[in-house]
């Protein structure tokens, strides 16, 4: 028979031996569970993906807020004539889109209608960003136009 390690005492009775075996089993079971958890690559990947999604959502919210603030600042700096033109252009775009939407509803197949509705919802959900992009485009256009004179 093998001798026990020097730091452990041998069991003096059968009951103590059973208790030692049970403790060893529990300890070994915990060790196996810990190792299994560490090697569960799929679970770790899912946790990491969830963390990244959450970080992306937070970052997107921050960027959206910054874009809205930048749009408001640009609007405040623009002369009234530019904002009036932008408002008229936006109204014309809305009415043109409405006319196009009616034609689309009458003549387009169902999958196209669904995609168009999805695009319209996205545009409505991101109005501030679209407005900021429109104002930015107007500013670039004005700067280019003034540069040619």
């Amino acid at each position: 028979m093998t001798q026990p390690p020097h730091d452990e005492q041998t069991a003096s009775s059968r009951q103590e031996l059973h208790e030692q075996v049970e403790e060893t089993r529990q300890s070994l079971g915990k060790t196996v569970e810990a190792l299994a958890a560490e090697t569960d690559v799929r679970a770790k990947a899912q946790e990491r993906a969830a963390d990244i999604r959450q970080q992306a959502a937070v970052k997107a919210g921050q960027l959206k807020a910054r874009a809205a603030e930048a749009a408001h600042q640009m609007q405040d700096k623009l002369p009234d004539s530019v904002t009036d033109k932008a408002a008229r252009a936006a109204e014309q775009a809305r009415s043109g889109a409405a006319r196009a939407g009616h034609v689309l509803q009458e003549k387009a197949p169902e999958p196209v209608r669904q995609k168009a509705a999805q695009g319209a919802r996205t545009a409505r959900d991101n109005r501030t960003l679209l407005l900021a992009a429109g104002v930015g485009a107007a500013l670039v256009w004005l700067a280019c136009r003034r540069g040619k004179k």
Side-chain angles (χ1 to χ4, degrees):
M1 274 177 106
T2 61
Q3 292 191 354
H6 296 291
D7 59 344
E8 292 182 22
Q9 294 180 349
T10 58
S12 61
S13 71
R14 190 175 188 133
Q15 179 63 29
E16 284 183 29
L17 181 62
H18 283 294
E19 288 174 5
Q20 286 178 354
V21 167
E22 187 58 34
E23 287 176 18
T24 304
R25 280 185 187 154
Q26 288 178 359
S27 175
L28 184 60
K30 289 177 184 177
T31 303
V32 169
E33 286 177 9
L35 288 172
E38 285 184 22
T39 58
D40 191 357
V41 175
R42 184 175 182 184
K44 283 186 175 187
Q46 288 174 341
E47 288 175 13
R48 180 73 176 132
D51 289 344
I52 290 171
R53 276 193 299 271
Q54 183 182 12
Q55 290 172 358
V58 167
K59 192 65 154 174
Q62 291 171 347
L63 290 174
K64 187 175 179 181
R66 274 197 241 158
E69 180 62 31
H72 289 300
Q73 288 176 356
M74 280 194 280
Q75 258 184 332
D76 293 343
K77 292 179 181 178
L78 290 176
D80 289 338
S81 61
V82 173
T83 55
D84 291 342
K85 286 179 184 178
R88 283 195 301 274
E91 182 54 40
Q92 288 173 350
R94 276 193 291 275
S95 67
R99 285 193 302 274
H102 291 299
V103 169
L104 179 69
Q105 285 180 348
E106 294 171 1
K107 298 186 179 187
E110 185 60 30
V112 174
R113 288 184 206 171
Q114 290 174 351
K115 286 291 183 183
Q118 181 183 4
R121 280 191 300 274
T122 302
R124 270 194 306 271
D125 293 343
N126 297 304
R127 282 185 199 171
T128 305
L129 188 58
L130 289 173
L131 178 61
V135 169
L139 287 173
V140 169
W141 178 75
L142 284 173
C144 290
R145 189 170 170 205
R146 286 185 184 172
K148 290 181 181 178
K149 288 183 180 182

